[in-house]
mmCIF file of all heavy atoms in Angstrom:
data_model
loop_
_atom_site.group_PDB
_atom_site.id
_atom_site.type_symbol
_atom_site.label_atom_id
_atom_site.label_comp_id
_atom_site.label_asym_id
_atom_site.label_seq_id
_atom_site.Cartn_x
_atom_site.Cartn_y
_atom_site.Cartn_z
ATOM 1 N N ARG A 961 26.770 -54.663 27.983
ATOM 2 C CA ARG A 961 27.142 -55.615 28.966
ATOM 3 C C ARG A 961 26.242 -56.850 28.900
ATOM 4 O O ARG A 961 26.633 -57.949 29.049
ATOM 5 C CB ARG A 961 27.008 -54.938 30.364
ATOM 6 C CG ARG A 961 28.232 -54.222 30.778
ATOM 7 C CD ARG A 961 27.989 -53.532 32.119
ATOM 8 N NE ARG A 961 28.881 -52.367 32.218
ATOM 9 C CZ ARG A 961 30.116 -52.430 32.759
ATOM 10 N NH1 ARG A 961 30.610 -53.507 33.194
ATOM 11 N NH2 ARG A 961 30.872 -51.344 32.715
ATOM 12 N N ALA A 962 24.907 -56.501 28.644
ATOM 13 C CA ALA A 962 23.983 -57.691 28.515
ATOM 14 C C ALA A 962 24.334 -58.596 27.383
ATOM 15 O O ALA A 962 24.253 -59.799 27.442
ATOM 16 C CB ALA A 962 22.515 -57.090 28.368
ATOM 17 N N MET A 963 24.776 -57.966 26.219
ATOM 18 C CA MET A 963 25.074 -58.769 25.090
ATOM 19 C C MET A 963 26.333 -59.572 25.367
ATOM 20 O O MET A 963 26.453 -60.706 24.935
ATOM 21 C CB MET A 963 25.349 -57.845 23.882
ATOM 22 C CG MET A 963 25.387 -58.647 22.622
ATOM 23 S SD MET A 963 24.503 -57.973 21.273
ATOM 24 C CE MET A 963 25.531 -56.659 20.812
ATOM 25 N N ILE A 964 27.274 -58.989 26.116
ATOM 26 C CA ILE A 964 28.489 -59.745 26.527
ATOM 27 C C ILE A 964 28.151 -60.914 27.420
ATOM 28 O O ILE A 964 28.626 -62.010 27.346
ATOM 29 C CB ILE A 964 29.558 -58.832 27.137
ATOM 30 C CG1 ILE A 964 30.044 -57.796 26.081
ATOM 31 C CG2 ILE A 964 30.754 -59.598 27.633
ATOM 32 C CD1 ILE A 964 30.920 -56.755 26.663
ATOM 33 N N ALA A 965 27.225 -60.599 28.371
ATOM 34 C CA ALA A 965 26.771 -61.674 29.315
ATOM 35 C C ALA A 965 26.129 -62.813 28.533
ATOM 36 O O ALA A 965 26.422 -64.015 28.883
ATOM 37 C CB ALA A 965 25.725 -61.129 30.281
ATOM 38 N N MET A 966 25.432 -62.524 27.527
ATOM 39 C CA MET A 966 24.801 -63.517 26.665
ATOM 40 C C MET A 966 25.925 -64.383 25.986
ATOM 41 O O MET A 966 25.827 -65.593 25.976
ATOM 42 C CB MET A 966 24.015 -62.817 25.563
ATOM 43 C CG MET A 966 22.772 -63.447 25.163
ATOM 44 S SD MET A 966 21.892 -62.266 24.078
ATOM 45 C CE MET A 966 21.206 -61.130 25.298
ATOM 46 N N ALA A 967 26.972 -63.660 25.521
ATOM 47 C CA ALA A 967 28.031 -64.337 24.808
ATOM 48 C C ALA A 967 28.802 -65.287 25.746
ATOM 49 O O ALA A 967 29.243 -66.371 25.344
ATOM 50 C CB ALA A 967 28.944 -63.333 24.157
ATOM 51 N N ILE A 968 29.104 -64.822 26.978
ATOM 52 C CA ILE A 968 29.915 -65.633 27.900
ATOM 53 C C ILE A 968 29.099 -66.599 28.699
ATOM 54 O O ILE A 968 29.663 -67.380 29.432
ATOM 55 C CB ILE A 968 30.734 -64.724 28.867
ATOM 56 C CG1 ILE A 968 29.800 -63.903 29.725
ATOM 57 C CG2 ILE A 968 31.670 -63.852 28.063
ATOM 58 C CD1 ILE A 968 30.462 -63.472 30.990
ATOM 59 N N SER A 969 27.826 -66.633 28.553
ATOM 60 C CA SER A 969 26.956 -67.410 29.499
ATOM 61 C C SER A 969 27.185 -68.922 29.390
ATOM 62 O O SER A 969 26.955 -69.595 30.265
ATOM 63 C CB SER A 969 25.433 -67.148 29.259
ATOM 64 O OG SER A 969 25.108 -67.533 27.897
ATOM 65 N N CYS A 970 27.759 -69.378 28.221
ATOM 66 C CA CYS A 970 27.997 -70.782 28.078
ATOM 67 C C CYS A 970 29.514 -71.014 28.114
ATOM 68 O O CYS A 970 29.937 -72.026 27.511
ATOM 69 C CB CYS A 970 27.433 -71.312 26.885
ATOM 70 S SG CYS A 970 25.633 -71.244 26.891
ATOM 71 N N ASN A 971 30.314 -70.179 28.671
ATOM 72 C CA ASN A 971 31.754 -70.350 28.833
ATOM 73 C C ASN A 971 32.450 -70.638 27.440
ATOM 74 O O ASN A 971 33.064 -71.704 27.266
ATOM 75 C CB ASN A 971 32.125 -71.479 29.678
ATOM 76 C CG ASN A 971 32.310 -70.907 31.094
ATOM 77 O OD1 ASN A 971 32.955 -69.885 31.260
ATOM 78 N ND2 ASN A 971 31.806 -71.663 32.130
ATOM 79 N N PRO A 972 32.323 -69.772 26.452
ATOM 80 C CA PRO A 972 32.919 -70.107 25.161
ATOM 81 C C PRO A 972 34.480 -70.107 25.202
ATOM 82 O O PRO A 972 35.028 -69.469 26.038
ATOM 83 C CB PRO A 972 32.415 -68.920 24.286
ATOM 84 C CG PRO A 972 32.293 -67.736 25.254
ATOM 85 C CD PRO A 972 31.870 -68.360 26.541
ATOM 86 N N LYS A 973 34.991 -70.956 24.278
ATOM 87 C CA LYS A 973 36.407 -71.034 24.188
ATOM 88 C C LYS A 973 36.988 -69.853 23.331
ATOM 89 O O LYS A 973 38.082 -69.370 23.507
ATOM 90 C CB LYS A 973 36.898 -72.284 23.588
ATOM 91 C CG LYS A 973 36.651 -73.441 24.446
ATOM 92 C CD LYS A 973 37.071 -74.756 23.855
ATOM 93 C CE LYS A 973 36.881 -75.895 24.790
ATOM 94 N NZ LYS A 973 36.785 -77.114 24.175
ATOM 95 N N PHE A 974 36.123 -69.353 22.431
ATOM 96 C CA PHE A 974 36.503 -68.345 21.501
ATOM 97 C C PHE A 974 35.448 -67.223 21.475
ATOM 98 O O PHE A 974 34.268 -67.563 21.233
ATOM 99 C CB PHE A 974 36.694 -69.013 20.164
ATOM 100 C CG PHE A 974 37.309 -68.132 19.079
ATOM 101 C CD1 PHE A 974 38.374 -67.309 19.351
ATOM 102 C CD2 PHE A 974 36.647 -68.074 17.858
ATOM 103 C CE1 PHE A 974 38.917 -66.533 18.320
ATOM 104 C CE2 PHE A 974 37.235 -67.231 16.827
ATOM 105 C CZ PHE A 974 38.310 -66.488 17.076
ATOM 106 N N LEU A 975 35.833 -66.028 21.746
ATOM 107 C CA LEU A 975 34.899 -64.920 21.778
ATOM 108 C C LEU A 975 35.299 -63.898 20.724
ATOM 109 O O LEU A 975 36.415 -63.402 20.706
ATOM 110 C CB LEU A 975 34.907 -64.360 23.166
ATOM 111 C CG LEU A 975 33.966 -63.197 23.422
ATOM 112 C CD1 LEU A 975 32.478 -63.611 23.183
ATOM 113 C CD2 LEU A 975 34.124 -62.643 24.820
ATOM 114 N N ILE A 976 34.339 -63.586 19.850
ATOM 115 C CA ILE A 976 34.533 -62.645 18.813
ATOM 116 C C ILE A 976 33.936 -61.363 19.167
ATOM 117 O O ILE A 976 32.732 -61.366 19.503
ATOM 118 C CB ILE A 976 34.053 -63.101 17.404
ATOM 119 C CG1 ILE A 976 34.630 -64.429 17.074
ATOM 120 C CG2 ILE A 976 34.240 -62.057 16.366
ATOM 121 C CD1 ILE A 976 34.002 -65.112 15.846
ATOM 122 N N LEU A 977 34.579 -60.232 19.134
ATOM 123 C CA LEU A 977 34.011 -58.976 19.423
ATOM 124 C C LEU A 977 34.045 -58.146 18.077
ATOM 125 O O LEU A 977 35.085 -57.675 17.672
ATOM 126 C CB LEU A 977 34.827 -58.188 20.461
ATOM 127 C CG LEU A 977 34.883 -58.849 21.838
ATOM 128 C CD1 LEU A 977 36.005 -58.294 22.642
ATOM 129 C CD2 LEU A 977 33.537 -58.647 22.591
ATOM 130 N N ASP A 978 32.852 -58.060 17.481
ATOM 131 C CA ASP A 978 32.756 -57.447 16.159
ATOM 132 C C ASP A 978 32.381 -55.998 16.380
ATOM 133 O O ASP A 978 31.223 -55.640 16.483
ATOM 134 C CB ASP A 978 31.721 -58.193 15.263
ATOM 135 C CG ASP A 978 31.742 -57.677 13.856
ATOM 136 O OD1 ASP A 978 32.505 -56.698 13.589
ATOM 137 O OD2 ASP A 978 30.986 -58.170 13.066
ATOM 138 N N GLU A 979 33.372 -55.095 16.358
ATOM 139 C CA GLU A 979 33.166 -53.657 16.583
ATOM 140 C C GLU A 979 32.301 -53.495 17.841
ATOM 141 O O GLU A 979 31.420 -52.578 17.849
ATOM 142 C CB GLU A 979 32.481 -53.038 15.343
ATOM 143 C CG GLU A 979 33.228 -53.153 14.092
ATOM 144 C CD GLU A 979 34.199 -51.958 13.785
ATOM 145 O OE1 GLU A 979 34.415 -51.212 14.756
ATOM 146 O OE2 GLU A 979 34.652 -51.868 12.692
ATOM 147 N N ALA A 980 32.686 -54.175 18.878
ATOM 148 C CA ALA A 980 31.785 -54.235 20.081
ATOM 149 C C ALA A 980 31.687 -52.895 20.867
ATOM 150 O O ALA A 980 30.835 -52.690 21.605
ATOM 151 C CB ALA A 980 32.231 -55.326 21.013
ATOM 152 N N THR A 981 32.641 -52.017 20.500
ATOM 153 C CA THR A 981 32.546 -50.719 21.328
ATOM 154 C C THR A 981 32.333 -49.516 20.412
ATOM 155 O O THR A 981 32.307 -48.425 20.872
ATOM 156 C CB THR A 981 33.884 -50.516 22.049
ATOM 157 O OG1 THR A 981 34.981 -50.538 21.175
ATOM 158 C CG2 THR A 981 34.060 -51.579 23.136
#
Side-chain angles (χ1 to χ4, degrees):
Chain A
R961 276 175 206 271
M963 192 138 74
I964 296 172
M966 216 171 284
I968 62 157
S969 61
C970 296
N971 267 321
K973 292 184 175 156
F974 186 48
L975 181 60
I976 303 171
L977 299 161
D978 187 358
E979 299 271 13
T981 56

